[in-house]
Amino acid sequence: MKKQTKTILIVAILVVVAGIFIYPRLDLFISKETSNAPGTQAPQGPGKAIPVNVVEIRPERLENNLNITGAIIPNETVNLRPEISGLVERITFKEGEFVKKGAPLLYLNDDELKAQFDRLEYTKKLYESQENRQKQLLAREAISQEEYDISLNQYNTNLADLRLVEAQLNKTVIRAPFDGVLGLRQISEGSVIGNTDVIASIVNIDPIKIEFSIPERYANQVKLGSKIIFSNDGSGQEREGTVYAYEPTIDAATRTLKLRAQSPNRDRAFLPEMFVRIRYTLGIEENALMVPAESVIPELSGYKVYVANAENKAEERIVNIGTRTESRVQILEGLKEGDLVLSTGILQVRTGSPLEVTKTN
């Protein structure tokens, strides 16, 4: 073996022996250096208090609000159509104007019906005089009862025909069925229209109705007369409405319950088919116990929170929860007024852990 090779082997053996001796002590050396470095804190011992923030439980008012969307629908709406066919003789309304119930809007040509009415009026006088004479003759037993009945039947038939023509004459005038705003006109003077032709639409929007749906789990909390607050992105104003009706069944497709509310709309700020955001108050509780949402820990069997006891040690409590808001949760059972519930450090503490308590409310 060459001298150079021997030297290399000896150096390698020395390096291996030095590594075996130094490596077990390397971690201890590094930890000492790290602990002595400036700005580095030594690890806390098992008895070190954990700094936490706590919230003191106090009874407060809780509104159980449901934020949903809905749509505006008119109080009343209908497409105006004539009951009979005829020639449009005169249009008396303007598009977009407000009209009162019963106001005449359109006249159809009624010349033929007026002629029939006049003819029946003349024959009415004839039959009426004949019936009177026959009645007097019957009283003197100058004619039989059958002859009088024939005369009376002619008179009554004439009256029925007269009422029929009068009813048809009334149909030649199209009137507003309720107070409302007229839409755009679909016909012109001189056109012949039938009972399938739309003249215009009429809409009553004061009050308006708000239609919306809520999940079926809230169905038992619905009460007639309850209030909603609704708004539209365009108007930027909030209005109050009152629930007046709801469907008696759940929609099987969406598993929701449909409701309708009503609200005044004198300034016509809300129009049919508008999209609105709704805040529906299902109920109000005056003395609710609320905790931050981050304080509630879900478990397989339910929920728990940690509280700081009189000795400033962590204590676990099993709780039943109720209504949730955006940031807090209602506690139904498991806590009482004055309890200090942990809102930070929840993952670090265990039952009996010493705490350094800071109140946040």
Side-chain angles (χ1 to χ4, degrees):
M1 183 179 294
K2 294 182 179 180
K3 184 175 182 181
Q4 186 178 4
T5 303
K6 288 182 179 180
T7 305
I8 292 173
L9 286 174
I10 292 171
V11 171
I13 291 170
L14 291 175
V15 169
V16 170
V17 171
I20 293 172
F21 178 79
I22 295 173
Y23 183 78
R25 295 163 176 78
L26 186 61
D27 287 342
L28 180 61
F29 176 77
I30 293 174
S31 62
K32 286 182 179 180
E33 289 294 328
T34 303
S35 62
N36 292 330
T40 304
Q41 295 181 354
Q44 297 177 348
K48 185 72 174 180
I50 302 173
V52 295
N53 292 340
V54 299
V55 175
E56 183 179 354
I57 302 299
R58 300 170 184 168
E60 57 187 276
R61 178 187 174 91
L62 171 64
E63 289 189 2
N64 187 7
N65 291 325
L66 194 60
N67 294 313
I68 45 182
T69 59
I72 300 295
I73 61 175
N75 184 41
E76 303 288 349
T77 181
V78 70
N79 288 328
L80 296 172
R81 292 183 173 91
E83 293 186 65
I84 59 174
S85 300
L87 175 70
V88 178
E89 193 171 76
R90 187 156 54 101
I91 297 174
T92 59
F93 69 89
K94 294 180 180 179
E95 297 169 296
E97 74 173 342
F98 176 83
V99 294
K100 300 290 289 184
K101 179 179 180 179
L105 307 175
L106 179 142
Y107 292 88
L108 298 177
N109 184 279
D110 59 359
D111 292 344
E112 291 183 9
L113 291 173
K114 281 184 176 179
Q116 293 180 31
F117 186 82
D118 292 342
R119 180 174 60 83
L120 290 170
E121 276 286 342
Y122 297 143
T123 55
K124 172 190 172 184
K125 295 177 182 178
L126 174 63
Y127 288 136
E128 186 177 12
S129 61
Q130 285 180 352
E131 190 269 337
N132 286 330
R133 285 195 301 270
Q134 295 292 77
K135 189 175 183 180
Q136 293 173 6
L137 291 173
L138 179 64
R140 296 197 297 267
E141 297 183 354
I143 61 171
S144 65
Q145 180 69 40
E146 182 180 359
E147 290 176 303
Y148 171 73
D149 290 342
I150 292 172
S151 177
L152 179 62
N153 183 63
Q154 288 176 333
Y155 176 61
N156 288 335
T157 302
N158 177 267
L159 290 179
D161 291 340
L162 197 62
R163 287 195 297 269
L164 176 61
V165 174
E166 189 176 9
Q168 290 177 326
L169 275 171
N170 290 333
K171 292 178 182 178
T172 62
V173 182
I174 312 303
R175 300 180 182 274
F178 47 78
D179 296 353
V181 178
L182 292 166
L184 302 179
R185 178 161 53 87
Q186 305 297 323
I187 51 91
S188 300
E189 290 184 359
S191 58
V192 177
I193 59 175
N195 55 14
T196 59
D197 296 311
V198 175
I199 299 169
S201 63
I202 181 171
V203 182
N204 182 306
I205 54 175
D206 182 23
I208 52 167
K209 296 176 181 176
I210 307 96
E211 188 171 270
F212 59 98
S213 297
I214 63 173
E216 65 176 328
R217 65 177 178 272
Y218 300 113
N220 292 332
Q221 301 181 46
V222 173
K223 294 181 180 178
L224 296 182
S226 54
K227 303 297 182 181
I228 68 167
I229 302 296
F230 64 97
S231 62
N232 175 267
D233 293 339
S235 66
Q237 55 180 314
E238 289 190 341
R239 296 282 183 86
E240 184 180 277
T242 304
V243 174
Y244 73 92
Y246 56 87
E247 288 284 3
T249 58
I250 298 294
D251 187 329
T254 60
R255 311 311 306 175
T256 58
L257 178 69
K258 185 179 292 184
L259 295 86
R260 281 187 181 176
Q262 208 170 46
S263 176
N265 188 36
R266 295 181 182 87
D267 57 357
R268 302 181 191 174
F270 291 88
L271 300 177
E273 306 307 325
M274 269 188 174
F275 171 85
V276 290
R277 303 183 187 279
I278 300 169
R279 186 169 73 252
Y280 180 32
T281 302
L282 293 170
I284 299 175
E285 189 169 341
E286 297 295 340
N287 296 305
L289 301 180
M290 306 294 293
V291 300
E294 60 270 18
S295 298
V296 180
I297 305 170
E299 292 186 319
L300 292 177
S301 58
Y303 299 90
K304 71 177 181 180
V305 298
Y306 282 104
V307 300
N309 61 20
E311 299 175 356
N312 279 349
K313 291 186 177 180
E315 184 180 320
E316 181 182 303
R317 297 275 184 89
I318 304 299
V319 296
N320 291 333
I321 67 172
T323 302
R324 285 181 177 268
T325 65
E326 293 181 357
S327 60
R328 298 192 298 168
V329 179
Q330 180 188 14
I331 301 300
L332 301 177
E333 294 180 0
L335 294 177
K336 63 181 184 299
E337 181 181 354
D339 284 341
L340 302 177
V341 177
L342 272 65
S343 59
T344 62
I346 297 168
L347 299 180
Q348 287 77 31
V349 301
R350 297 292 182 270
T351 300
S353 299
L355 305 175
E356 182 182 331
V357 174
T358 302
K359 286 187 181 180
T360 58
N361 58 342

